[in-house]
Amino acid sequence: MTFSGAFTALVTPFKDGKIDEERFREHIEWQITEGIHGLVPCGTTGESATLTHDEHKEAIRICVEQANKRVPVLAGAGSNNTNEAIHLTQFAKDAGADGVLLISPYYNKPTQEGIYQHFKHIADTINIPMVLYNVPSRTGSNLLPSTVARLHKDIPQIVGIKEATGNLVQVSDLIEQCGDSFTILSGDDFTLLPLLSLGGSGVISVVSNLLPNKMANLCNAWNNGDIATAQKLHFELQPLNRAMFMESNPIPVKTALALQNKMDTDFRLPMVPLAENNLAKLKSVMADAGLL
């Protein structure tokens, strides 16, 4: 299994303190209809940090069922507790996910050897395609290219990485050290085009919650050799890319979806509603993008 193109890091809609299954299914269906290449439930954008284990499993189950093998599902299953990551990975496999997204352990800040052993232990326990997730701004440690290359060499089911450092030198080093058989996905919408130009494979996107067709078409254009169209779409998306990170993700994107009446602005603490001054800015950017 390979993962390439535009994957949406799905927002998790809530209602009355629970997952809003109806809205979640509608959102997934619309994503597929709009041409998205894949789906990622239970990532950062899906507020995985405040989902209970039962809710985490429910979100994966709903996504796998609704996708029904029309597009691949890469289920968020990571944790800073190795045994917990194994538990969630096993559930994702049993539920029928096509692969799992595994964040590098956060808060406890393991060494590179500790990170290696964390992923190795998961892979030794469960056989499913695995995409690593490197986001130092949230984990407090950087998953270095040399460690990633070692993992890919030793563990065939580690097939790729979501790289969210925004550091194109690190992306270049990853591609150089891991080779063509390794999938590099951007974890920052605004670096998708430059990452593709280095040899990357696509993006796990926040903005595609709002514009799945445009994000997918950017990848399609690049893969078809239509660089001019890819560049055009890149610059069209940039204002929205910036707006989605004016406050902590997923506050802006869930607010944007609520402004389109696709779900409620229901956050779980410590996430709070978008500040009023930023709400006005978001509405302006959305209007300019034809989303309001």
Side-chain angles (χ1 to χ4, degrees):
M1 171 64 66
T2 58
F3 304 97
S4 62
F7 278 59
T8 296
L10 292 165
V11 171
T12 304
F14 298 124
K15 185 174 183 180
D16 299 327
K18 300 177 181 178
I19 293 176
D20 187 339
E21 181 170 348
E22 181 179 358
R23 291 296 183 95
F24 195 30
R25 287 186 181 274
E26 289 173 355
H27 187 52
I28 291 165
E29 190 61 31
W30 179 71
Q31 289 281 318
I32 296 171
T33 300
E34 288 290 298
I36 203 67
H37 298 129
L39 299 166
V40 181
C42 300
T44 303
T45 310
E47 296 179 75
S48 59
T50 50
L51 295 177
T52 67
H53 281 185
D54 286 344
E55 289 171 331
H56 195 116
K57 294 173 182 177
E58 181 184 3
I60 292 172
R61 176 187 59 78
I62 291 168
C63 186
V64 169
E65 285 181 2
Q66 193 65 33
N68 195 26
K69 296 299 179 183
R70 290 175 290 171
V71 297
V73 173
L74 187 63
S79 173
N80 65 337
N81 177 329
T82 305
N83 287 332
E84 184 175 271
I86 288 170
H87 175 76
L88 293 173
T89 298
Q90 184 64 61
F91 176 83
K93 179 178 181 177
D94 293 343
D98 300 284
V100 291
L101 181 68
L102 297 172
I103 194 167
S104 179
Y106 44 86
Y107 186 74
N108 36 21
K109 293 180 70 173
T111 64
Q112 292 298 302
E113 182 62 27
I115 294 171
Y116 174 89
Q117 293 297 337
H118 169 81
F119 289 127
K120 184 177 185 300
H121 191 59
I122 299 169
D124 286 345
T125 306
I126 303 163
N127 185 20
I128 187 173
M130 298 176 177
V131 174
L132 311 179
Y133 179 16
N134 185 35
V135 56
S137 64
R138 288 182 180 268
T139 63
S141 62
N142 188 11
L143 180 49
L144 297 177
S146 57
T147 305
V148 177
R150 180 185 171 201
L151 284 162
H152 179 51
K153 176 178 178 292
D154 295 348
I155 306 167
Q157 71 209 63
I158 294 181
V159 298
I161 188 169
K162 176 184 178 182
E163 177 56 42
T165 60
N167 183 342
L168 292 174
V169 174
Q170 180 150 322
V171 170
S172 179
D173 290 344
L174 277 166
I175 293 170
E176 178 187 358
Q177 295 180 35
C178 294
D180 294 340
S181 63
F182 197 64
T183 296
I184 314 287
L185 298 168
S186 172
D188 303 294
D189 288 291
F190 41 84
T191 67
L192 169 57
L193 184 59
L195 180 138
L196 289 172
S197 74
L198 286 168
S201 302
V203 63
I204 295 178
S205 172
V206 175
V207 171
S208 60
N209 278 282
L210 301 168
L211 288 170
N213 184 263
K214 187 167 281 192
M215 193 64 71
N217 282 342
L218 193 164
C219 294
N220 293 339
W222 179 267
N223 290 332
N224 290 331
D226 187 354
I227 296 172
T229 296
Q231 288 176 328
K232 178 176 178 289
L233 291 169
H234 166 81
F235 287 111
E236 286 179 4
L237 285 164
Q238 283 296 78
L240 202 58
N241 290 342
R242 290 189 291 268
M244 290 303 98
F245 294 92
M246 63 173 62
E247 290 186 18
S248 297
N249 179 43
I251 295 170
V253 67
K254 182 175 265 192
T255 303
L257 289 165
L259 288 169
Q260 295 182 312
N261 297 313
K262 291 185 175 179
M263 60 184 64
D264 293 340
T265 47
D266 191 342
F267 297 101
R268 286 188 173 169
L269 288 171
M271 295 290 104
V272 295
L274 194 69
E276 282 297 321
N277 63 318
N278 284 330
L279 181 60
K281 294 176 185 176
L282 177 61
K283 288 179 178 179
S284 176
V285 173
M286 290 179 68
D288 289 343
L291 293 172
L292 286 180

